[in-house]
Coordinates of all heavy atoms in Angstrom, one line a residue:
M1 N 0.8 -1.2 0.0 CA 0.0 0.0 0.0 C 0.9 1.2 0.0 O 1.9 1.3 0.7 CB -0.9 0.0 1.2 CG -1.8 1.2 1.3 SD -3.0 1.1 2.5 CE -3.4 2.7 2.8
I2 N 0.5 2.2 -0.7 CA 1.2 3.5 -0.8 C 0.8 4.3 0.4 O -0.3 4.5 0.7 CB 0.9 4.2 -2.2 CG1 1.4 3.3 -3.3 CG2 1.5 5.6 -2.2 CD1 1.0 3.9 -4.7
E3 N 1.8 4.9 1.0 CA 1.6 5.9 2.0 C 1.2 7.2 1.4 O 1.8 7.6 0.4 CB 2.9 6.1 2.9 CG 3.3 4.8 3.7 CD 2.3 4.6 4.9 OE1 1.8 5.6 5.4 OE2 2.1 3.4 5.2
Y4 N 0.2 7.8 1.9 CA -0.2 9.1 1.3 C 0.8 10.2 1.4 O 0.9 11.1 0.6 CB -1.5 9.6 2.0 CG -2.7 8.6 1.7 CD1 -3.3 7.9 2.7 CD2 -3.1 8.4 0.4 CE1 -4.3 7.1 2.4 CE2 -4.1 7.6 0.1 CZ -4.8 6.9 1.1 OH -5.8 6.1 0.9
K5 N 1.7 10.1 2.4 CA 2.8 11.1 2.5 C 3.8 10.9 1.4 O 4.6 11.8 1.1 CB 3.5 11.0 3.8 CG 4.2 9.7 4.1 CD 4.8 9.7 5.5 CE 5.5 8.4 5.6 NZ 6.2 8.3 6.8
D6 N 3.8 9.7 0.8 CA 4.8 9.4 -0.3 C 4.3 9.8 -1.7 O 5.0 9.7 -2.7 CB 5.2 8.0 -0.3 CG 5.9 7.6 1.0 OD1 6.5 8.4 1.6 OD2 5.8 6.4 1.3
I7 N 3.1 10.3 -1.8 CA 2.6 10.7 -3.1 C 3.2 12.0 -3.5 O 3.0 13.0 -2.9 CB 1.0 10.8 -3.1 CG1 0.4 9.4 -2.7 CG2 0.5 11.3 -4.4 CD1 -1.1 9.5 -2.5
K8 N 3.9 11.9 -4.6 CA 4.7 13.1 -5.1 C 4.2 13.6 -6.4 O 4.4 14.7 -6.8 CB 6.2 12.8 -5.2 CG 6.8 12.3 -3.9 CD 7.0 13.4 -2.9 CE 7.8 12.8 -1.7 NZ 7.3 13.3 -0.5
N9 N 3.6 12.7 -7.2 CA 3.2 13.1 -8.5 C 1.9 12.4 -8.9 O 1.3 11.7 -8.1 CB 4.3 12.7 -9.6 CG 4.6 11.2 -9.5 OD1 3.8 10.4 -9.2 ND2 5.9 10.9 -9.8
L10 N 1.4 12.7 -10.1 CA 0.1 12.2 -10.5 C 0.0 10.7 -10.7 O -1.0 10.1 -10.4 CB -0.3 12.9 -11.9 CG -1.7 13.2 -12.1 CD1 -2.4 13.9 -11.0 CD2 -1.9 14.0 -13.4
E11 N 1.1 10.1 -11.1 CA 1.2 8.7 -11.2 C 1.0 8.0 -9.9 O 0.3 7.0 -9.7 CB 2.5 8.3 -11.8 CG 2.7 6.8 -12.1 CD 4.0 6.4 -12.7 OE1 4.5 7.2 -13.6 OE2 4.5 5.4 -12.3
D12 N 1.7 8.5 -8.8 CA 1.5 7.9 -7.5 C 0.1 8.1 -7.0 O -0.5 7.2 -6.3 CB 2.5 8.6 -6.5 CG 3.9 8.2 -6.8 OD1 4.2 7.2 -7.5 OD2 4.8 9.0 -6.3
L13 N -0.5 9.2 -7.3 CA -1.9 9.5 -6.9 C -2.8 8.5 -7.6 O -3.8 8.0 -6.9 CB -2.2 10.9 -7.2 CG -3.6 11.4 -6.8 CD1 -3.8 11.4 -5.3 CD2 -3.9 12.8 -7.4
D14 N -2.6 8.2 -8.9 CA -3.4 7.3 -9.6 C -3.3 5.9 -9.0 O -4.3 5.2 -8.8 CB -3.1 7.2 -11.1 CG -3.6 8.4 -11.8 OD1 -4.5 9.1 -11.3 OD2 -3.0 8.7 -12.9
K15 N -2.1 5.5 -8.6 CA -1.9 4.2 -8.0 C -2.6 4.1 -6.7 O -3.3 3.1 -6.4 CB -0.4 3.9 -7.8 CG 0.4 3.6 -9.0 CD 1.8 3.3 -8.7 CE 2.7 3.1 -9.9 NZ 4.1 3.0 -9.6
A16 N -2.5 5.1 -5.9 CA -3.2 5.1 -4.6 C -4.7 5.1 -4.8 O -5.4 4.4 -4.0 CB -2.7 6.4 -3.8
H17 N -5.2 5.8 -5.7 CA -6.6 5.8 -6.0 C -7.1 4.4 -6.4 O -8.1 4.0 -6.0 CB -6.9 6.8 -7.1 CG -8.4 7.0 -7.4 ND1 -8.9 6.4 -8.5 CD2 -9.4 7.6 -6.7 CE1 -10.2 6.7 -8.5 NE2 -10.5 7.4 -7.5
K18 N -6.4 3.7 -7.3 CA -6.7 2.4 -7.7 C -6.7 1.4 -6.6 O -7.7 0.6 -6.4 CB -5.8 1.9 -8.8 CG -6.1 2.6 -10.2 CD -5.1 2.1 -11.2 CE -5.3 2.9 -12.5 NZ -4.3 2.5 -13.6
Q19 N -5.7 1.5 -5.7 CA -5.7 0.6 -4.5 C -6.9 0.9 -3.6 O -7.5 -0.1 -3.1 CB -4.4 0.8 -3.8 CG -3.2 0.2 -4.5 CD -1.9 0.4 -3.7 OE1 -1.9 1.1 -2.7 NE2 -0.8 -0.2 -4.2
L20 N -7.2 2.1 -3.4 CA -8.3 2.5 -2.6 C -9.6 2.0 -3.1 O -10.5 1.4 -2.4 CB -8.3 4.0 -2.4 CG -9.4 4.5 -1.4 CD1 -9.1 3.9 0.0 CD2 -9.3 6.0 -1.3
Q21 N -9.8 2.1 -4.5 CA -11.0 1.6 -5.1 C -11.1 0.1 -5.0 O -12.2 -0.5 -4.7 CB -11.0 2.0 -6.6 CG -11.2 3.4 -6.9 CD -12.6 3.9 -6.5 OE1 -13.4 3.2 -5.9 NE2 -12.9 5.1 -7.0
Q22 N -10.0 -0.6 -5.1 CA -10.0 -2.1 -4.9 C -10.4 -2.5 -3.5 O -11.2 -3.4 -3.3 CB -8.6 -2.7 -5.2 CG -8.3 -2.7 -6.7 CD -6.9 -3.1 -7.0 OE1 -6.1 -3.3 -6.1 NE2 -6.5 -3.3 -8.3
K23 N -9.8 -1.8 -2.5 CA -10.2 -2.1 -1.1 C -11.7 -1.8 -0.9 O -12.3 -2.6 -0.2 CB -9.3 -1.2 -0.2 CG -7.9 -1.7 -0.1 CD -7.1 -0.7 0.8 CE -7.4 -0.9 2.2 NZ -6.5 -0.1 3.1
L24 N -12.2 -0.7 -1.5 CA -13.6 -0.4 -1.3 C -14.5 -1.5 -1.9 O -15.5 -1.8 -1.3 CB -13.9 1.0 -1.9 CG -13.4 2.2 -1.0 CD1 -13.7 3.5 -1.8 CD2 -14.1 2.2 0.3
K25 N -14.1 -2.0 -3.1 CA -14.9 -3.0 -3.7 C -14.9 -4.3 -2.9 O -16.0 -4.9 -2.8 CB -14.4 -3.3 -5.1 CG -14.7 -2.2 -6.1 CD -14.2 -2.6 -7.5 CE -14.6 -1.4 -8.5 NZ -14.1 -1.7 -9.8
K26 N -13.8 -4.7 -2.3 CA -13.7 -5.8 -1.5 C -14.6 -5.7 -0.2 O -15.4 -6.6 0.1 CB -12.3 -6.1 -1.0 CG -11.4 -6.7 -2.1 CD -10.0 -6.9 -1.6 CE -9.1 -7.4 -2.7 NZ -7.7 -7.5 -2.3
K27 N -14.6 -4.5 0.4 CA -15.4 -4.2 1.5 C -16.9 -4.3 1.2 O -17.7 -4.8 1.9 CB -15.1 -2.9 2.2 CG -14.0 -2.9 3.2 CD -13.9 -1.6 3.9 CE -12.8 -1.7 4.9 NZ -12.6 -0.5 5.7
E28 N -17.2 -3.7 0.0 CA -18.6 -3.7 -0.4 C -19.1 -5.1 -0.6 O -20.2 -5.4 -0.2 CB -18.7 -2.9 -1.7 CG -20.1 -2.8 -2.3 CD -20.1 -2.1 -3.6 OE1 -19.1 -1.5 -4.1 OE2 -21.2 -2.1 -4.3
K29 N -18.3 -5.9 -1.2 CA -18.8 -7.3 -1.4 C -19.0 -8.0 -0.1 O -19.9 -8.8 0.1 CB -17.7 -8.1 -2.3 CG -17.8 -7.7 -3.7 CD -16.7 -8.5 -4.5 CE -16.7 -8.1 -6.0 NZ -15.6 -8.8 -6.7
R30 N -18.0 -7.8 0.8 CA -18.1 -8.5 2.1 C -19.3 -8.0 2.9 O -20.1 -8.8 3.5 CB -16.8 -8.2 3.0 CG -16.8 -9.0 4.2 CD -15.5 -8.8 4.9 NE -15.3 -7.5 5.4 CZ -14.2 -6.7 5.2 NH1 -13.2 -7.2 4.5 NH2 -14.1 -5.5 5.6
I31 N -19.6 -6.7 2.9 CA -20.7 -6.1 3.6 C -22.0 -6.6 3.0 O -23.0 -7.0 3.7 CB -20.7 -4.6 3.6 CG1 -19.5 -4.1 4.5 CG2 -22.0 -4.0 4.0 CD1 -19.2 -2.7 4.5
S32 N -22.1 -6.6 1.6 CA -23.4 -7.1 1.0 C -23.6 -8.5 1.3 O -24.8 -9.0 1.5 CB -23.3 -6.8 -0.5 OG -22.4 -7.6 -1.1
K33 N -22.6 -9.3 1.4 CA -22.7 -10.7 1.7 C -23.2 -10.9 3.2 O -24.1 -11.7 3.5 CB -21.4 -11.5 1.6 CG -21.4 -12.9 1.8 CD -20.1 -13.5 1.6 CE -20.1 -15.0 1.8 NZ -18.7 -15.6 1.6
D34 N -22.7 -10.1 4.1 CA -23.2 -10.1 5.5 C -24.6 -9.6 5.6 O -25.4 -10.2 6.3 CB -22.3 -9.2 6.3 CG -20.9 -9.7 6.5 OD1 -20.6 -10.9 6.2 OD2 -20.0 -8.9 7.0
V35 N -25.0 -8.6 4.8 CA -26.4 -8.1 4.9 C -27.3 -9.2 4.3 O -28.4 -9.4 4.9 CB -26.5 -6.8 4.0 CG1 -28.0 -6.5 3.8 CG2 -25.8 -5.7 4.7
V36 N -27.0 -9.9 3.3 CA -27.8 -11.0 2.8 C -27.9 -12.1 3.8 O -29.0 -12.6 4.0 CB -27.2 -11.5 1.4 CG1 -27.9 -12.8 1.0 CG2 -27.4 -10.5 0.3
G37 N -26.9 -12.4 4.5 CA -26.9 -13.4 5.5 C -27.9 -13.0 6.7 O -28.7 -13.9 7.2
V38 N -27.8 -11.8 7.1 CA -28.7 -11.3 8.1 C -30.1 -11.3 7.7 O -31.0 -11.7 8.4 CB -28.2 -9.9 8.6 CG1 -29.3 -9.3 9.5 CG2 -26.9 -10.0 9.3
K39 N -30.3 -10.9 6.4 CA -31.7 -10.8 5.9 C -32.3 -12.2 5.8 O -33.4 -12.4 6.1 CB -31.6 -10.2 4.5 CG -32.9 -10.1 3.8 CD -32.8 -9.5 2.4 CE -34.1 -9.5 1.7 NZ -33.9 -9.1 0.3
D40 N -31.5 -13.2 5.4 CA -32.0 -14.6 5.3 C -32.3 -15.1 6.7 O -33.2 -16.0 6.8 CB -31.0 -15.5 4.6 CG -30.8 -15.2 3.2 OD1 -31.7 -14.5 2.6 OD2 -29.8 -15.6 2.6
S41 N -31.6 -14.7 7.7 CA -31.9 -15.3 9.1 C -33.1 -14.6 9.7 O -33.6 -15.2 10.7 CB -30.6 -15.1 10.0 OG -30.4 -13.7 10.2
F42 N -33.6 -13.5 9.2 CA -34.7 -12.9 9.8 C -36.0 -13.1 9.0 O -36.8 -12.2 8.7 CB -34.5 -11.4 9.9 CG -33.6 -11.0 11.1 CD1 -32.3 -10.7 11.0 CD2 -34.2 -11.1 12.4 CE1 -31.5 -10.4 12.0 CE2 -33.4 -10.8 13.5 CZ -32.0 -10.4 13.3
T43 N -36.2 -14.3 8.6 CA -37.5 -14.7 7.9 C -38.6 -14.8 9.0 O -38.3 -15.0 10.1 CB -37.3 -16.0 7.2 OG1 -37.0 -17.1 8.1 CG2 -36.2 -15.9 6.1
P44 N -39.8 -14.7 8.6 CA -40.9 -14.8 9.5 C -40.9 -16.1 10.3 O -41.1 -16.2 11.5 CB -42.2 -14.7 8.7 CG -41.7 -13.9 7.5 CD -40.3 -14.3 7.2
V45 N -40.6 -17.2 9.6 CA -40.5 -18.5 10.3 C -39.4 -18.6 11.3 O -39.7 -19.0 12.5 CB -40.3 -19.6 9.2 CG1 -40.1 -21.0 9.9 CG2 -41.5 -19.7 8.3
N46 N -38.3 -18.1 11.0 CA -37.2 -18.1 12.0 C -37.5 -17.2 13.2 O -37.1 -17.5 14.3 CB -35.9 -17.6 11.3 CG -35.3 -18.7 10.4 OD1 -35.6 -19.8 10.5 ND2 -34.4 -18.3 9.5
L47 N -38.1 -16.0 12.9 CA -38.4 -15.1 14.0 C -39.5 -15.8 14.9 O -39.4 -15.7 16.1 CB -39.0 -13.8 13.5 CG -37.9 -12.9 12.8 CD1 -38.6 -11.7 12.2 CD2 -36.9 -12.4 13.8
F48 N -40.5 -16.4 14.3 CA -41.5 -17.1 15.1 C -40.9 -18.2 15.9 O -41.2 -18.3 17.1 CB -42.6 -17.6 14.1 CG -43.7 -18.3 14.9 CD1 -44.6 -17.6 15.6 CD2 -43.8 -19.7 14.8 CE1 -45.7 -18.2 16.2 CE2 -44.8 -20.3 15.5 CZ -45.8 -19.6 16.2
A49 N -40.0 -19.0 15.3 CA -39.4 -20.1 16.1 C -38.5 -19.6 17.2 O -38.5 -20.1 18.3 CB -38.5 -20.9 15.1
A50 N -37.8 -18.5 17.0 CA -36.9 -17.9 18.0 C -37.8 -17.3 19.2 O -37.5 -17.5 20.3 CB -36.1 -16.8 17.4
G51 N -38.9 -16.8 18.8 CA -39.9 -16.3 19.8 C -40.4 -17.4 20.7 O -40.6 -17.3 21.9
L52 N -40.8 -18.5 20.0 CA -41.2 -19.7 20.8 C -40.2 -20.2 21.7 O -40.5 -20.5 22.9 CB -41.7 -20.8 19.8 CG -43.1 -20.7 19.2 CD1 -43.3 -21.9 18.2 CD2 -44.1 -20.7 20.3
R53 N -39.0 -20.3 21.3 CA -37.9 -20.8 22.1 C -37.6 -19.9 23.3 O -37.4 -20.4 24.4 CB -36.6 -21.0 21.3 CG -36.6 -22.3 20.5 CD -35.3 -22.5 19.8 NE -35.6 -22.9 18.5 CZ -35.3 -22.2 17.4 NH1 -34.8 -21.1 17.5 NH2 -35.7 -22.7 16.2
K54 N -37.7 -18.6 23.1 CA -37.5 -17.6 24.2 C -38.6 -17.6 25.1 O -38.5 -17.5 26.3 CB -37.3 -16.2 23.6 CG -36.0 -16.0 22.9 CD -34.9 -15.9 23.9 CE -33.6 -15.7 23.2 NZ -32.4 -15.6 24.0
A55 N -39.9 -17.8 24.6 CA -41.0 -17.8 25.5 C -41.2 -19.0 26.4 O -41.8 -18.9 27.4 CB -42.3 -17.6 24.6
S56 N -40.6 -20.1 25.9 CA -40.8 -21.3 26.7 C -39.5 -22.1 26.8 O -39.3 -23.1 26.1 CB -41.9 -22.2 26.0 OG -41.4 -22.5 24.7
P57 N -38.5 -21.7 27.6 CA -37.3 -22.4 27.7 C -37.4 -23.8 28.3 O -36.7 -24.7 28.0 CB -36.4 -21.5 28.5 CG -37.3 -20.5 29.2 CD -38.5 -20.4 28.4
E58 N -38.4 -23.9 29.2 CA -38.5 -25.2 29.9 C -39.4 -26.2 29.1 O -39.2 -27.4 29.0 CB -39.1 -25.1 31.3 CG -38.2 -24.4 32.3 CD -38.3 -22.9 32.2 OE1 -39.3 -22.4 31.7 OE2 -37.3 -22.2 32.5
V59 N -40.5 -25.6 28.5 CA -41.4 -26.4 27.7 C -41.1 -26.2 26.2 O -41.2 -25.1 25.7 CB -42.9 -26.0 28.0 CG1 -43.9 -26.8 27.2 CG2 -43.2 -26.1 29.5
P60 N -40.8 -27.3 25.5 CA -40.5 -27.1 24.1 C -41.7 -26.9 23.2 O -42.2 -27.8 22.5 CB -39.8 -28.4 23.8 CG -40.3 -29.4 24.7 CD -40.7 -28.7 26.0
L61 N -42.2 -25.7 23.2 CA -43.4 -25.4 22.4 C -43.2 -25.6 20.9 O -44.0 -25.9 20.2 CB -43.9 -24.0 22.7 CG -44.6 -23.8 24.0 CD1 -45.0 -22.3 24.2 CD2 -45.8 -24.7 24.2
D62 N -41.9 -25.3 20.5 CA -41.6 -25.4 19.1 C -41.8 -26.9 18.6 O -42.2 -27.1 17.5 CB -40.3 -24.8 18.7 CG -39.1 -25.4 19.6 OD1 -39.4 -26.0 20.6 OD2 -38.0 -25.2 19.2
L63 N -41.4 -27.8 19.5 CA -41.5 -29.2 19.1 C -43.0 -29.6 19.0 O -43.4 -30.4 18.2 CB -40.8 -30.1 20.1 CG -39.3 -30.0 20.0 CD1 -38.6 -30.9 21.1 CD2 -38.7 -30.3 18.6
Y64 N -43.8 -29.1 20.0 CA -45.2 -29.4 20.0 C -45.9 -28.8 18.7 O -46.7 -29.5 18.1 CB -45.9 -28.8 21.2 CG -45.5 -29.5 22.5 CD1 -45.3 -28.7 23.6 CD2 -45.4 -30.8 22.6 CE1 -45.0 -29.3 24.8 CE2 -45.1 -31.4 23.8 CZ -44.9 -30.7 24.9 OH -44.5 -31.3 26.1
L65 N -45.5 -27.6 18.4 CA -46.0 -27.0 17.2 C -45.6 -27.8 15.9 O -46.4 -28.0 15.0 CB -45.6 -25.5 17.1 CG -46.1 -24.7 15.9 CD1 -47.6 -24.6 16.0 CD2 -45.5 -23.4 15.9
L66 N -44.3 -28.2 15.9 CA -43.9 -29.0 14.7 C -44.7 -30.3 14.6 O -45.1 -30.7 13.5 CB -42.4 -29.3 14.9 CG -41.7 -30.1 13.8 CD1 -41.8 -29.4 12.4 CD2 -40.3 -30.4 14.1
N67 N -44.9 -31.0 15.7 CA -45.7 -32.2 15.7 C -47.1 -31.9 15.2 O -47.7 -32.7 14.4 CB -45.7 -32.9 17.0 CG -44.4 -33.6 17.3 OD1 -43.7 -34.0 16.4 ND2 -44.0 -33.6 18.6
F68 N -47.7 -30.8 15.7 CA -49.0 -30.5 15.3 C -49.1 -30.2 13.7 O -50.0 -30.7 13.1 CB -49.5 -29.2 16.0 CG -50.8 -28.6 15.5 CD1 -52.0 -29.3 15.9 CD2 -50.8 -27.5 14.7 CE1 -53.2 -28.8 15.4 CE2 -52.0 -27.0 14.3 CZ -53.2 -27.7 14.6
V69 N -48.1 -29.5 13.2 CA -48.1 -29.3 11.8 C -47.9 -30.6 11.0 O -48.6 -30.8 9.9 CB -47.0 -28.2 11.4 CG1 -46.7 -28.2 9.9 CG2 -47.3 -26.9 12.0
R70 N -47.1 -31.5 11.5 CA -46.9 -32.7 10.8 C -48.2 -33.5 10.8 O -48.6 -34.1 9.7 CB -45.8 -33.6 11.5 CG -44.4 -33.0 11.2 CD -43.4 -33.8 11.9 NE -42.0 -33.4 11.6 CZ -41.0 -33.6 12.3 NH1 -41.1 -34.4 13.4 NH2 -39.8 -33.1 11.9
K71 N -48.9 -33.6 11.9 CA -50.2 -34.3 12.0 C -51.2 -33.6 11.0 O -52.0 -34.3 10.3 CB -50.7 -34.3 13.4 CG -50.0 -35.2 14.3 CD -50.5 -35.2 15.7 CE -49.6 -36.0 16.6 NZ -50.1 -36.0 18.0
L72 N -51.2 -32.3 11.0 CA -52.1 -31.6 10.1 C -51.9 -31.9 8.7 O -52.8 -32.1 7.9 CB -52.0 -30.1 10.4 CG -53.0 -29.2 9.7 CD1 -54.4 -29.5 10.2 CD2 -52.7 -27.7 10.0
K73 N -50.6 -32.0 8.3 CA -50.2 -32.3 6.9 C -50.6 -33.7 6.5 O -51.2 -34.0 5.4 CB -48.7 -32.1 6.7 CG -48.3 -30.7 6.6 CD -46.8 -30.6 6.5 CE -46.3 -31.1 5.2 NZ -44.8 -30.9 4.9
R74 N -50.5 -34.6 7.5 CA -50.9 -36.0 7.2 C -52.4 -36.1 7.0 O -52.9 -36.8 6.1 CB -50.5 -36.9 8.4 CG -49.1 -37.5 8.2 CD -48.8 -38.6 9.2 NE -47.6 -38.1 10.0 CZ -47.6 -37.9 11.3 NH1 -48.7 -38.2 12.1 NH2 -46.5 -37.5 11.9
R75 N -53.1 -35.4 7.8 CA -54.6 -35.4 7.7 C -55.0 -34.8 6.4 O -55.9 -35.3 5.8 CB -55.2 -34.6 8.9 CG -56.7 -34.7 8.9 CD -57.3 -34.1 10.1 NE -57.1 -35.1 11.2 CZ -57.5 -35.0 12.4 NH1 -58.0 -33.8 12.8 NH2 -57.3 -35.9 13.3
I76 N -54.4 -33.7 6.0 CA -54.7 -33.1 4.7 C -54.4 -34.0 3.5 O -55.2 -34.1 2.6 CB -54.0 -31.8 4.5 CG1 -54.5 -30.7 5.5 CG2 -54.1 -31.2 3.1 CD1 -53.8 -29.4 5.6
R77 N -53.3 -34.8 3.6 CA -53.0 -35.7 2.5 C -54.0 -36.8 2.4 O -54.2 -37.4 1.3 CB -51.6 -36.2 2.8 CG -50.5 -35.2 2.4 CD -49.1 -35.8 2.6 NE -48.1 -34.8 2.5 CZ -46.9 -34.8 3.0 NH1 -46.6 -35.8 3.7 NH2 -46.1 -33.8 2.8
T78 N -54.6 -37.3 3.5 CA -55.5 -38.4 3.5 C -56.9 -38.0 3.0 O -57.7 -38.9 2.7 CB -55.6 -39.0 4.9 OG1 -56.1 -38.1 5.8 CG2 -54.3 -39.6 5.3
L79 N -57.1 -36.7 2.9 CA -58.5 -36.3 2.5 C -58.6 -36.4 1.0 O -58.1 -36.5 0.1 CB -58.7 -34.8 2.9 CG -58.9 -34.6 4.4 CD1 -59.1 -33.1 4.6 CD2 -60.1 -35.3 4.9

């Protein structure tokens, strides 16, 4: 990396500018990837499941709900 105090001419300035642009592009890709990951984790189903787990740490309501949904699906399929 070029030290900004070492920039003496236009060529050095262009090199520093290109390096800075490359660093910014890498950061932009990393941040957008992180944002997509966060966005994917905050789906309604995940939020609902997290709320169930927090609301009932001793009683596994999420498992009861999952079993209920499975039974409901089986019943719908037999109709």
Side-chain angles (χ1 to χ4, degrees):
M1 179 169 156
I2 295 176
E3 293 286 329
Y4 293 117
K5 64 181 180 176
D6 296 335
I7 296 175
K8 304 287 186 217
N9 55 31
L10 212 50
E11 183 180 321
D12 292 341
L13 183 63
D14 286 339
K15 285 180 186 178
H17 183 259
K18 286 179 184 178
Q19 286 180 354
L20 186 60
Q21 290 289 14
Q22 289 174 350
K23 286 175 75 175
L24 285 174
K25 284 182 183 181
K26 287 179 185 178
K27 272 191 180 181
E28 180 184 352
K29 286 180 184 178
R30 188 174 65 231
I31 289 172
S32 65
K33 186 177 178 182
D34 292 344
V35 167
V36 168
V38 169
K39 182 181 171 188
D40 289 344
S41 68
F42 282 103
T43 62
V45 172
N46 287 343
L47 290 173
F48 181 72
L52 276 178
R53 282 188 224 108
K54 289 285 183 181
S56 61
E58 291 85 24
V59 180
L61 289 177
D62 54 342
L63 293 178
Y64 292 138
L65 184 63
L66 180 62
N67 286 330
F68 173 74
V69 169
R70 286 178 178 162
K71 287 178 185 178
L72 189 63
K73 283 176 71 173
R74 271 191 241 123
R75 184 171 283 177
I76 290 172
R77 286 182 186 154
T78 59
L79 293 178

